[in-house]
Amino acid sequence: MTISVKVMRRPEPGETSYLRATLRGMALTFKHLVNPKKVTVEYPEERPDLSPRWRGTHVMETHADGRPKCVACGLCPTVCPANCIRLVGGEDDMGNRYPLVYEIDEFRCIFCGMCQEVCPVEAIHVGVHFENAEYTRDRFVYDLDRLMAQEHPSTLLWDPSDGASE
Amino acid sequence: MDAPKPQAVTLTIDEREVTVPKGTTILRAAESIGIEIPRYCYHPGLSSPAQCRICLVEVVGAPKLAASCVTEAMEGQQVRTQSEPALEMRRGVLEFYLANHPLDCPICDQSGECKLQDYVHAEGREHGRSREPKRVFGRDDFGGDVLFYGDRCVMCTRCVRFMNEMAQDPRLAVVERGNRSIIDTFFDEGVEGSPYSGNIVDICPVGALVSKDFLHKARAWDLEHTPSVCPNCSQGCNIEIHTRDNLVQRLKPRDNPEVNQYWMCDYGRARYEWLNRGDRIEAPLIRTGERDARAAASWEEAIRAAAAELGGAEGPVRAVASAFVSNEALVALATLVEALGGGEIVFRSPRTVGEIPLPGFEKLARREDLAPNREGAEALGMKRVGTNDATGGLESLAAHAGKLVVLGDELEDAGPEFGAEAAAYLYLGSYPTEGAGRAKVVLPITTFAEEEGSFTNHARIVQRYEPALQAPGMARPAATVLEALRAALGTPAGALAGRRGS
Ligand code: SF4
Ligand code: SF4
Ligand code: SF4
Ligand code: SF4
Ligand code: FES
């Protein structure tokens, strides 16, 4: 076996100076300094505009009387690629099927929105929301009460056949 | 009477030739080559009224489509199950079924194993055309374990025919006519008290009849199915154990023409909760001092301690077995006892008075022995002692001064002093019990649902079952444990070889 040796050409002293690159960088910085199209947002005083199709932490829709809309069909835990929804179905005192336990582990969730897409009764939604700081990890497992108490708006999923969802 | 030799006929189904005995229906002939023709009213264990019309197929040359569940296969027939006329007709039939159906799959327990879902998905229309309001029946309690959702019913009358032909206890009927027709019971108690009524839930092709016990418990697609044998009586019905999250969710019958056909009794069906018991012995335990001072040990240590205990002690050996353990474990116990010099093995098993037969299939009855393997134990020369509720009978063993081995018996009534006199006392079991308090070594074993093995039923048919659950902690199959113990004692294997299977 032969080893081929590649001889590298060493740069000339003039070529190794970083001065030109630095100046080029400074010029770019200066250009943005005076650019009127600013993108930096002074968070938290200023709020960013989120797209209505932003997919953040979940919201469970409720009926007018405060019951969750979920009928415990089991489709969202089945479709969830991160396997982060835990559901135990049961029957409420009016004889309706409803979730005894409904938990989403928001840490494991990848916010794909498939749970929202699959839900036959439009109960679970991903939400337009991004401020998720908590003091402990277990606070990221959202239970049913928490999901129903969420106040941020639900995401509009894009439906190609429905112009309004654009 | 000599049965006439069945003549064979050859026909073509969907371009494939198949030869079947004369008298076979087209539906069965198609099934034999793996073509499933849709069916609702047809069930192999019941009569065929040919009323659901979902099984219509085209027979070339015939003036009309034929109901394949009752049409006999003829020589040279050409059957098309997927031709345009057949498909169009089935599409139409399905549309009628859906005209009043509530489309409530999300909350229906049958969803995922529903024949209406399957057939509509495969052959039905994408959108309904009916604009009329649907008729609504709501839900009705049929008694026993059965709930009835009238709106989902497809009027196949399988449930009615089961009660008439199999249970021979006609308690269900079709009342009203046309699209108002509905299944109903005669009196308020419905099927309450009918010992085989759980089967109507199994045979209902849709979610009209559902089990109260299973209601909303799990989705069909989340369940794992394991072939097994019912442990609740010596009939040994073939069952499937449906599990989810390592818990048994329900038992369903599995067909076996020799034992239980397609059915099982409600008594057996309802008794599975003990398999989900959480109080288990999870590690081998070695007594370190007096009484309850015990330390968990590795299997190696425990087997060594047990072998030293049994090998070092004086006196004759006696053993208690159980009618709830596998043949394999019983043989291993008998081999071990023989290796230790031979001795009496007794077992206790619950019994009741009176069999509960299924009138339409007489081979099946809930037997008097309420344990799965009494035959297996007796075939190995073990003796049944005690009363019919599996208590008593161990008085002479409680004070036995030699070696004592207990396999599987929970010793519920034995008390903490059981085995106090024994020179060596070894306990193999699944659940913690007072009766093992004096045992030097306690070894955790699996239940039948956690291991592979076999039971011998009342008719001496040996039936195999497979593991459905993961065993807790370090529990191991009793046969494996006893075999390891025998090897550690340094005694030859197969002393019982000649008696195996006797
Ligand atoms: S957004 Fe996707 S990953 Fe998150 S819970 Fe829903 S289905 Fe699962
Ligand atoms: S898909 Fe919708 S109805 Fe079904 S379990 Fe999930 S949230 Fe509940
Ligand atoms: S309840 Fe079920 S088995 Fe009985 S007629 Fe209706 S669909 Fe058939
Ligand atoms: S007849 Fe016996 S074996 Fe069959 S299901 Fe009933 S209890 Fe189990
Ligand atoms: S299965 Fe043939 S008509 Fe019902």
Side-chain angles (χ1 to χ4, degrees):
Chain A
M1 205 174 91
T2 55
I3 299 171
S4 60
V5 180
K6 186 174 181 190
V7 181
M8 303 294 291
R9 183 185 71 89
R10 287 205 172 275
E12 303 295 322
E15 289 172 326
T16 58
S17 162
Y18 50 82
L19 199 61
R20 266 177 304 163
T22 308
L23 287 177
R24 228 181 278 147
M26 296 295 283
L28 189 69
T29 309
F30 189 72
K31 207 170 95 202
H32 280 294
L33 200 65
V34 296
N35 187 350
K37 277 202 320 200
K38 271 189 274 178
V39 290
T40 312
V41 176
E42 299 282 340
Y43 181 82
E45 285 77 27
E46 222 179 301
R47 294 287 164 161
D49 279 337
L50 297 182
S51 152
R53 270 154 47 195
W54 173 278
R55 300 192 301 258
T57 45
H58 298 74
V59 180
M60 170 67 74
E61 296 291 330
T62 53
H63 291 289
D65 60 0
R67 287 181 298 124
K69 276 197 179 166
C70 171
V71 296
C73 73
L75 289 185
C76 58
T78 303
V79 78
C80 176
N83 204 2
C84 65
I85 305 179
R86 194 167 85 86
L87 169 76
V88 178
E91 198 172 73
D92 68 11
D93 37 15
M94 288 141 84
N96 296 316
R97 191 180 169 119
Y98 90 115
L100 286 174
V101 177
Y102 189 97
E103 283 175 359
I104 300 186
D105 186 339
E106 301 287 352
F107 260 170
R108 271 211 264 161
C109 173
I110 59 168
F111 301 103
C112 61
M114 294 221 271
C115 46
Q116 170 167 353
E117 212 164 324
V118 80
C119 182
V121 292
E122 311 204 333
I124 194 69
H125 294 268
V126 276
V128 185
H129 180 69
F130 68 98
E131 292 152 307
N132 299 315
E134 295 286 358
Y135 285 110
T136 57
R137 293 181 147 258
D138 51 359
R139 289 275 300 155
F140 278 93
V141 179
Y142 287 17
D143 63 8
L144 188 59
D145 290 337
R146 178 133 180 228
L147 288 166
M148 290 198 295
Q150 297 286 21
E151 275 164 1
H152 54 262
S154 305
T155 298
L156 290 177
L157 281 194
W158 179 56
D159 175 359
S161 65
D162 178 6
S165 76
E166 267 286 6
Chain B
M1 196 181 86
D2 269 353
K5 208 165 182 250
Q7 270 176 294
V9 294
T10 302
L11 68 160
T12 320
I13 302 176
D14 289 349
E15 317 291 318
R16 285 168 65 191
E17 214 164 78
V18 54
T19 304
V20 291
K22 196 167 163 37
T24 310
T25 59
I26 294 177
L27 187 141
R28 291 293 282 252
E31 220 166 45
S32 72
I33 50 171
I35 297 172
E36 183 183 327
I37 299 175
R39 77 285 301 270
Y40 290 131
C41 64
Y42 167 81
H43 185 279
L46 302 171
S47 62
S48 300
Q51 62 183 27
C52 74
R53 315 314 284 176
I54 194 72
C55 67
L56 296 172
V57 295
E58 185 187 359
V59 178
V60 175
K64 295 193 292 184
L65 298 184
S68 61
C69 63
V70 289
T71 310
E72 271 183 33
M74 298 290 200
E75 185 63 40
Q77 224 170 23
Q78 293 229 16
V79 177
R80 293 185 187 148
T81 70
Q82 299 297 325
S83 67
E84 205 29 62
L87 280 177
E88 180 53 35
M89 188 64 89
R90 294 209 294 267
R91 209 175 296 136
V93 171
L94 283 171
E95 195 171 5
F96 272 121
Y97 282 130
L98 290 187
N100 276 312
H101 188 279
L103 303 178
D104 57 350
C105 303
I107 55 165
C108 174
D109 264 349
Q110 190 86 357
S111 180
E113 50 186 13
C114 172
K115 289 296 177 194
L116 190 58
Q117 238 179 13
D118 291 355
Y119 299 155
V120 171
H121 185 69
E123 300 185 340
R125 257 176 219 290
E126 210 170 317
H127 296 284
R129 297 182 296 178
S130 162
R131 295 281 168 268
E132 288 75 35
K134 303 197 175 198
R135 56 130 175 72
V136 177
F137 288 135
R139 170 167 122 169
D140 196 1
D141 188 340
F142 268 13
D145 184 39
V146 185
L147 271 186
F148 177 62
Y149 286 84
D151 306 314
R152 299 176 188 155
C153 174
V154 295
M155 265 314 136
C156 67
T157 70
R158 278 188 191 183
C159 52
V160 177
R161 279 175 288 132
F162 178 86
M163 293 309 286
N164 292 352
E165 298 165 15
M166 282 293 148
Q168 298 184 2
D169 182 8
R171 298 208 197 187
L172 298 178
V174 181
V175 300
E176 287 280 7
R177 306 167 56 160
N179 87 341
R180 293 187 315 276
S181 48
I182 185 170
I183 306 293
D184 208 349
T185 58
F186 293 103
F187 308 106
D188 274 352
E189 91 259 26
V191 297
E192 178 85 55
S194 177
Y196 285 88
S197 58
N199 291 297
I200 62 179
V201 172
D202 300 340
I203 59 176
C204 181
V206 295
L209 295 172
V210 296
S211 154
K212 290 179 199 167
D213 175 54
F214 186 68
L215 196 69
H216 308 324
K217 228 158 82 173
R219 302 308 267 162
W221 56 85
D222 285 333
L223 297 171
E224 279 178 59
H225 303 188
T226 313
S228 189
V229 174
C230 173
N232 295 311
C233 89
S234 61
Q235 174 75 23
C237 287
N238 291 215
I239 57 166
E240 258 180 13
I241 301 184
H242 290 187
T243 54
R244 182 191 175 198
D245 300 337
N246 210 33
L247 294 173
V248 179
Q249 306 287 344
R250 63 176 177 186
L251 306 181
K252 285 269 179 189
R254 184 161 58 93
D255 54 321
N256 182 335
E258 292 303 316
V259 180
N260 57 318
Q261 213 174 31
Y262 307 95
W263 325 112
M264 74 186 289
C265 79
D266 293 358
Y267 172 89
R269 190 190 294 268
R271 278 165 183 70
Y272 61 83
E273 270 304 330
W274 63 276
L275 296 169
N276 295 339
R277 264 175 78 172
D279 57 328
R280 293 287 296 269
I281 309 176
E282 298 203 355
L285 303 170
I286 302 177
R287 203 177 67 203
T288 47
E290 272 304 297
R291 286 290 163 116
D292 294 328
R294 288 233 177 77
S298 72
W299 269 110
E300 215 181 334
E301 281 164 0
I303 293 283
R304 222 183 296 123
E309 181 82 355
L310 286 177
E314 292 296 318
V317 55
R318 295 186 64 185
V320 182
S322 160
F324 285 90
V325 301
S326 65
N327 287 323
E328 289 72 11
L330 291 172
V331 168
L333 178 68
T335 315
L336 180 78
V337 167
E338 201 126 310
L340 290 168
E344 188 193 25
I345 306 178
V346 298
F347 69 94
R348 309 188 292 176
S349 74
R351 245 177 103 86
T352 171
V353 181
E355 303 191 333
I356 306 173
L358 175 63
F361 180 69
E362 302 219 314
K363 281 186 188 168
L364 170 59
R366 211 289 311 284
R367 302 287 163 186
E368 294 189 326
D369 272 304
L370 299 181
N373 208 11
R374 201 216 59 200
E375 277 299 327
E378 285 184 350
L380 285 162
M382 302 178 185
K383 209 170 107 233
R384 179 167 179 271
V385 295
T387 63
N388 274 359
D389 52 4
T391 54
L394 299 182
E395 296 72 25
S396 69
L397 274 108
H400 175 60
K403 303 169 208 169
L404 184 59
V405 181
V406 178
L407 166 65
D409 196 306
E410 267 190 76
L411 300 177
E412 265 161 358
D413 57 326
E417 289 309 313
F418 185 83
E421 309 294 320
Y425 174 18
L426 172 66
Y427 183 84
L428 295 97
S430 300
Y431 309 103
T433 161
E434 233 186 14
R438 288 304 193 114
K440 174 78 184 171
V441 184
V442 174
L443 300 175
I445 59 170
T446 53
T447 66
F448 91 103
E450 296 154 3
E451 62 180 27
E452 193 179 340
S454 68
F455 290 142
T456 306
N457 85 346
H458 73 103
R460 296 217 157 188
I461 301 176
V462 179
Q463 306 192 94
R464 210 157 73 91
Y465 53 78
E466 287 178 18
L469 299 173
Q470 203 129 45
M474 293 162 74
R476 293 285 176 275
T480 318
V481 174
L482 288 164
E483 198 58 15
L485 183 53
R486 193 203 43 70
L489 279 164
T491 51
L496 259 180
R499 273 168 59 188
R500 256 172 226 238
S502 65

